[in-house]
Amino acid sequence: MSNQYVEMGLMAPVNVTWEVTYACNLSCIHCVSDSGRKKPGELTTEQCLQVIDTMSAMKVFQFNIGGGEPFMREDFPDLMDYSHEKGIVTCISTNGTLIDDEVAGRLAHKLVYMQVSLDGATPASNDAIRGKGSFRKALNALEFLSKRDIEVSVNTVLTKLSFPELDALVDLAASFGAKLRISRFRPSGRGKKNWSQLNVSREQMLSFSDWLSRHMVVSTGDSFFSVSHEDRRSLGLNMCGASKLTCCVSPLGEVYPCAFLQEREFLAGKLPEESFAEIWENSPIFHSFRDLEIKSCESCVRFDFCHGGCPAIAYHTQRRLGLPDPECLANCVSVKSLAAVGA
């Protein structure tokens, strides 16, 4: 185990992204996991309970639940109840199409946060990505959740289609008492095929960086630290947390550094056959991420802001780790001009 890792004292991840199924009733063209049909070998209910027990014993604070569509699993509400009994907070990402008043009622008064996906402020923009009728169903879900006072955010992937509608999305989310959360588009899963079609240009990314500084209440998690100005530095991580603060468990129980690097070469282990504690502490894959250095970025004036950016973007666009995030501010503008954008 690296000295830095020991000094950090993280004997377990703070949160674990758990994709509970590949099954989904939508076919979003940017889907990072290429979801659609349930795959053979997905964890059974009993195996999922084992995963929850393991994470609870290791004092994991939160599950970030995704898929596929989590509510496609008939046992999903029971799994969430069990997670809450074990004291694990759950943040559930859903397309909203299966949430009705009964489902919202079961989620009320639990250790749960909801993220309902919308990729546009209108049916035309959203449904072009997520499928016909998905916009209206997502709004229905937001209505059911807001009536139950469940904390909810609208999650939008930044694309060429959503970029012009960011202000409208902020207002739409607010109309349901929700905040907007923006996720970064990554060329993983079906996103590989549609990357060039949907990804924003460098000019749009630079404009988005300025927009973020004017909308401090909009959250981004750790996905845009490489393009954020200094004024957002206190709002989140300024470096990749893969294998350090977080990791990903696939529907098959496979453990990866993050949800956007579910490639065979990054497979660190498999649950429940292997010990998660052993994987977390001793996996060579995880150690390689903890020791990952982006040498070419160390002389950049923004290095303390982003430490090289997102390794997943670098890997998917350049086919290896250890390279700079191609969409960081240093690549959007000249280094000489970085001081003008908050460096």
Side-chain angles (χ1 to χ4, degrees):
M1 190 178 301
S2 69
N3 290 334
Q4 182 183 16
Y5 176 59
V6 173
E7 289 172 5
M8 289 173 68
L10 293 182
M11 302 309 295
V14 175
N15 62 68
V16 171
T17 296
W18 186 9
E19 300 191 339
V20 295
T21 184
Y22 287 112
C24 190
N25 55 341
L26 298 183
S27 297
C28 304
I29 62 176
H30 60 12
C31 179
V32 300
S33 58
D34 198 13
S35 296
R37 294 184 178 182
K38 179 180 177 180
K39 293 185 179 180
E42 292 190 13
L43 296 182
T44 65
T45 300
E46 182 179 352
Q47 289 173 325
C48 286
L49 295 177
Q50 287 181 258
V51 170
I52 296 169
D53 284 338
T54 296
M55 301 301 177
S56 174
M58 291 184 67
K59 308 300 182 184
V60 169
F61 174 71
Q62 178 172 303
F63 282 136
N64 295 328
I65 304 290
E69 168 52 46
F71 289 97
M72 291 287 285
R73 283 191 69 126
E74 292 184 3
D75 62 356
F76 180 64
D78 295 327
L79 295 178
M80 291 303 93
D81 286 345
Y82 191 68
S83 297
H84 301 149
E85 289 172 14
K86 291 291 184 175
I88 300 177
V89 176
T90 57
C91 179
I92 304 171
S93 296
T94 175
N95 61 36
T97 60
L98 302 178
I99 294 179
D100 55 19
D101 191 55
E102 180 180 353
V103 171
R106 186 161 180 177
L107 294 170
H109 312 297
K110 302 288 178 65
L111 297 171
V112 63
Y113 303 90
M114 300 293 295
Q115 293 181 359
V116 177
S117 296
L118 275 174
D119 284 303
T122 65
S125 54
N126 175 83
D127 292 6
I129 291 177
R130 308 190 65 83
K132 186 176 180 180
S134 58
F135 181 83
R136 175 47 52 190
K137 291 178 180 178
L139 262 56
N140 289 341
L142 289 167
E143 183 70 27
F144 288 126
L145 293 169
S146 65
K147 284 182 178 179
R148 297 286 184 168
D149 293 323
I150 297 170
E151 187 168 338
V152 61
S153 62
V154 170
N155 189 69
T156 298
V157 178
L158 181 66
T159 65
K160 288 178 180 176
L161 293 181
S162 63
F163 174 78
E165 300 184 350
L166 294 177
D167 288 333
L169 282 162
V170 170
D171 293 339
L172 187 153
S175 71
F176 293 97
K179 292 184 178 181
L180 180 65
R181 183 182 188 277
I182 303 180
S183 295
R184 194 168 175 188
F185 181 34
R186 292 169 170 92
S188 175
R190 281 197 292 275
K192 295 178 182 178
K193 182 185 300 184
N194 298 296
W195 173 253
S196 59
Q197 171 192 347
L198 291 177
N199 193 40
V200 294
S201 66
R202 286 188 175 185
E203 292 75 19
Q204 287 173 322
M205 185 65 82
L206 187 58
S207 176
F208 173 70
S209 177
D210 294 333
W211 185 89
L212 279 179
S213 287
R214 299 193 302 272
H215 296 81
M216 298 296 283
V217 297
V218 173
S219 63
T220 61
D222 66 351
S223 57
F224 285 106
F225 54 84
S226 60
V227 300
S228 295
H229 292 195
E230 186 175 7
D231 49 13
R232 291 184 64 90
R233 190 172 184 176
S234 64
L235 300 182
L237 292 173
N238 65 345
M239 62 185 297
C240 172
S243 302
K244 306 177 189 76
L245 302 174
T246 187
C247 65
C248 172
V249 177
S250 81
L252 305 179
E254 298 165 330
V255 182
Y256 296 95
C258 87
F260 305 105
L261 286 171
Q262 295 185 60
E263 307 281 338
R264 302 311 298 177
E265 64 186 282
F266 301 121
L267 177 62
K270 192 173 187 304
L271 304 177
E273 295 92 327
E274 299 176 58
S275 161
F276 181 74
E278 179 70 18
I279 296 170
W280 178 255
E281 294 177 12
N282 298 317
S283 163
I285 296 296
F286 281 7
H287 280 291
S288 70
F289 273 80
R290 290 165 190 154
D291 297 332
L292 184 64
E293 296 179 335
I294 316 298
K295 291 291 187 181
S296 60
C297 291
E298 292 180 358
S299 61
C300 179
V301 295
R302 281 184 52 87
F303 183 70
D304 287 342
F305 287 14
C306 72
H307 296 87
C310 175
I313 291 282
Y315 172 81
H316 286 299
T317 56
Q318 300 165 90
R319 302 314 299 172
R320 70 181 179 92
L321 298 176
L323 296 175
D325 185 328
E327 294 183 330
C328 71
L329 281 185
N331 285 325
C332 290
V333 297
S334 68
V335 174
K336 185 181 294 186
S337 301
L338 286 178
V341 293

